[in-house]
Structures are given as C-alpha cells and as structure tokens.
Amino acid sequence: MSDKTDFLETIPAAETCDISCSKIVPIYVFDNLEQSASQEHSNILLNTPFEVNFRDNQYRLIVGEQRFQAVLERAIPSVKCMVYHDLSDIQEIQLRYSSDFKIKEPSLFVRLKIYQILRTKLEVQKDTGVFMKPLQQKASQILRVSTRQIRRYNIVLDCGTKEDWDLICQNQLPLEKAVKRIRDRELLSKEPEGLPIL
C-alpha cells in the first residue's frame, strides 16, 4: 500500500524576513478566503507573517490577500514574510490550500478554481512525462478531498454551464446539486425525440 504523502511535492524551508510592501505581488485572488482583516487586532495583522514565493524576481503572495490589502490601506511600508524560493505552481497551490484551511474553509467556487489551475498544471506534467502517478490521486491528496470528489469537480469543470458557474459563485449551488443538475441535463439531451409525424 503506497504512502499518501508520495503524491505531495516537498516544500522547502522558508526564511523569515521583512519585505517592502511595494515588492509584493498578489497572485491568487478568488474570493474572501480569510476572515475580514479589518476585524483583526493590528498586532495580529503585523505579527502574522505573509507567505510569499520569490520567483522570477517577484515576491509572489501565496497566502494573505485580505490582510495584505489592510496593510496597504494603513500605508504600512513593510511586513514580516515567510519567504520560499522558486516554488513551482503546484507547490504554491499545495502550500496555499493547506494554509486556507487554517484560516477559513474555502467555498466551492474557490475549490473549483484552485482545482482547475492544479488540473491544468498536472496535465502538462503528465503530457511531458514528468508526472506518472494518477492525476486524480495527486489532486485528491493536495486538496485533501476524496478521489470521488475530484471526479465530481471534473464533471462541473467539463460540463458546467455559465449559469451553473454563476450559481456556484453565489454559493447557491452545492457540489452534489451541481453534479445532479448537469447529469439531468445530459439525460434530457440524450432522450429520443417523439415519433415523427407520418
């Protein structure tokens, strides 16, 4: 029986240092992943390090968009950061997603957007022969959901309409109902039309 951690990429250690806010670039903006930063005590705001990835001469903000926005609004010149170096996109998502759970449960819309990015990156790895383990198992391990849940994500990503996405974005369509809605629509489209009029 294989170790589940085989599907996770190793995240190298980070160094902690102060970074000028003008050098930090938010990369992932989906919706409000964190509790409102304006409600946090200013000491917590300043003493909780932001997680950034230094890559391509940029400090890419992985976690902490709302807190960072609050810092900018207060004109704070620099912040304490945990700085990783040259993480891949998949490592960023892996780190970001595990951090999201420490802050707030991501919405279905956020989960799907993260999986959409992750699936694209994993498919590229698979096509180039870099990644040979089952894509669904790796995604399942990174996102900490079952492979059955990943299959449902695939149904929504591959067959969902704009209306489905709008409802998901507004938190009005849970995953199970979204999948049922899509399957019902597909069944209707496959039903034979009435007998031709002779």
Side-chain angles (χ1 to χ4, degrees):
M1 186 170 154
S2 63
D3 184 356
K4 285 186 178 180
T5 57
D6 287 347
F7 296 112
L8 296 178
E9 295 192 5
T10 302
I11 305 292
E15 58 182 344
T16 304
C17 57
D18 288 343
I19 304 289
S20 167
C21 291
S22 63
K23 295 182 178 179
I24 298 174
V25 181
I27 300 296
Y28 301 101
V29 182
F30 299 115
D31 71 1
N32 298 334
L33 296 184
E34 298 178 288
Q35 302 294 346
S36 175
S38 61
Q39 297 173 0
E40 295 184 30
H41 191 275
S42 59
N43 286 340
I44 297 175
L45 184 69
L46 294 173
N47 292 328
T48 304
F50 293 87
E51 295 180 56
V52 299
N53 178 26
F54 186 71
R55 192 176 88 192
D56 303 326
N57 286 326
Q58 285 186 326
Y59 288 97
R60 297 161 57 93
L61 182 62
I62 303 172
V63 178
E65 287 92 346
Q66 284 198 346
R67 286 189 299 120
F68 186 64
Q69 187 58 42
V71 164
L72 294 179
E73 288 169 4
R74 296 177 190 192
I76 297 170
S78 63
V79 289
K80 191 183 299 290
C81 294
M82 289 177 60
V83 183
Y84 298 87
H85 291 272
D86 297 315
L87 297 183
S88 68
D89 289 338
I90 290 177
Q91 287 173 317
E92 280 187 357
I93 291 171
Q94 184 176 310
L95 183 63
R96 173 182 175 77
Y97 208 77
S98 63
S99 297
D100 285 346
F101 274 97
K102 299 171 193 170
I103 302 165
K104 180 182 174 183
E105 184 77 7
S107 67
L108 174 59
F109 177 74
V110 171
R111 289 172 184 271
L112 286 169
K113 292 303 285 184
I114 292 175
Y115 176 62
Q116 188 175 36
I117 295 169
L118 184 59
R119 184 173 77 164
T120 302
K121 300 298 179 186
L122 291 177
E123 283 173 350
V124 168
Q125 284 191 1
K126 186 177 179 183
D127 291 343
T128 57
V130 175
F131 172 64
M132 301 305 292
K133 293 179 190 272
L135 185 153
Q136 287 190 344
Q137 285 181 299
K138 182 161 186 174
S140 164
Q141 184 64 24
I142 291 171
L143 302 182
R144 294 190 288 168
V145 296
S146 67
T147 51
R148 181 180 180 190
Q149 196 85 328
I150 294 294
R151 288 194 294 271
R152 289 174 174 167
Y153 289 174
N154 285 327
I155 290 169
V156 175
L157 288 176
D158 295 336
C159 306
T161 62
K162 183 182 182 304
E163 185 183 358
D164 296 333
W165 274 96
D166 288 344
L167 290 171
I168 289 168
C169 184
Q170 296 161 17
N171 290 323
Q172 294 180 4
L173 189 62
L175 182 61
E176 291 73 19
K177 288 188 177 179
V179 170
K180 183 178 185 310
R181 178 185 169 110
I182 290 166
R183 285 184 171 155
D184 289 348
R185 194 165 52 231
E186 288 179 345
L187 284 173
L188 283 173
S189 68
K190 291 177 183 175
E191 281 184 2
E193 296 180 6
L195 292 173
I197 299 173
L198 298 175

